[in-house]
Amino acid sequence: QGAFVSSEAQDRTTYFIGDNVGDTLNPLPQTGTQAGGAVNAPTDTLSSSAGSEASDLTGCTRLTFTTLAPSIPLRLRVDENDFETQQERNGPQGGVAEVQWSTEAVGDAGDRQGLFERIQQPSDGDPSQGGTEALLTEDVRNIAFEFWNGADWTETWNTTGIGGRRLPAAVQVSYELASDDPGFVRRFVVPIPNSDVTALNPVADAIAGGGL
């Protein structure tokens, strides 16, 4: 719900990308956002780190976005050290954060399997890496994301491509749990308040489809 993309065309630190594990996420260019983002791999299939068979879920398998939602931790707000000391001890805090969710870890996950969350704060304009990664839950076998473009659900989204920097009106999350019977799919929909997409003002296919 806290997804944020700046309206400034030259801003390379905010983005919203729904693509497939196996696609290549490139650093955004230094000037503008007419190239970069996700590049389709030769074969894109719904995969899972849990080692299960391919799922029949519809949607993309990775979501990378920026947000202003995370607040500065209370321990830092009450810290009596100066700004430079806090930065040296704790690293950058506050500002735009980059978040990524997928069942495929960016770093070395060892034998851990499930849904991973990667967070980098502040965002550095490279949606492919950085920050810290954690296993949110071992119970997610497969996950897929779809995006409401004002008229229907689309399986990809990319604000770094040609066409604009608009957020989808909502994200539908479909997932399968290892603890459920095979083929049992759970779903929920998350509206995005920062989106201006409506039925009367739908998004162009170039944006929803990646526009690369």
Side-chain angles (χ1 to χ4, degrees):
Q1 287 185 310
F4 169 77
V5 172
S6 169
S7 60
E8 174 54 54
Q10 302 301 314
D11 174 39
R12 56 188 300 275
T13 63
T14 60
Y15 32 82
F16 188 101
I17 304 170
D19 69 338
N20 287 295
V21 171
D23 291 355
T24 300
L25 281 171
N26 298 321
L28 304 191
Q30 294 293 331
T31 57
T33 56
Q34 297 304 299
V39 177
N40 290 338
T43 57
D44 291 326
T45 57
L46 189 61
S47 60
S48 168
S49 63
S52 63
E53 296 181 357
S55 170
D56 60 356
L57 294 180
T58 58
C60 63
T61 57
R62 177 172 57 190
L63 181 60
T64 310
F65 64 96
T66 50
T67 177
L68 290 170
S71 61
I72 298 176
L74 180 61
R75 62 182 176 81
L76 297 182
R77 284 181 277 173
V78 299
D79 194 324
E80 296 181 356
N81 290 307
D82 58 25
F83 177 80
E84 289 75 14
T85 302
Q86 290 196 42
Q87 290 285 297
E88 182 178 348
R89 288 184 174 181
N90 306 302
Q93 301 291 322
V96 176
E98 175 186 292
V99 180
Q100 185 176 91
W101 294 322
S102 172
T103 56
E104 294 290 338
V106 172
D108 182 7
D111 59 355
R112 294 177 299 170
Q113 299 175 343
L115 180 62
F116 293 89
E117 178 183 65
R118 182 179 61 80
I119 299 178
Q120 181 174 19
Q121 192 172 21
S123 168
D124 65 351
D126 184 351
S128 67
Q129 56 80 43
T132 58
E133 191 169 50
L135 179 63
L136 290 181
T137 174
E138 297 180 345
D139 199 22
V140 173
R141 177 190 295 120
N142 290 298
I143 193 166
F145 306 95
E146 295 176 278
F147 313 97
W148 187 252
N149 64 10
D152 50 36
W153 294 104
T154 183
E155 296 186 8
T156 60
W157 202 277
N158 192 346
T159 62
T160 72
I162 298 172
R165 296 174 57 78
R166 301 175 68 189
L167 291 166
V171 178
Q172 179 169 262
V173 183
S174 303
Y175 61 102
E176 297 174 335
L177 298 180
S179 57
D180 285 337
D181 293 334
F184 183 81
V185 177
R186 299 170 182 262
R187 289 188 176 89
F188 63 92
V189 175
V190 180
I192 301 183
N194 288 327
S195 173
D196 65 352
V197 173
T198 66
L200 298 178
N201 186 25
V203 78
D205 290 342
I207 305 172
L212 298 177

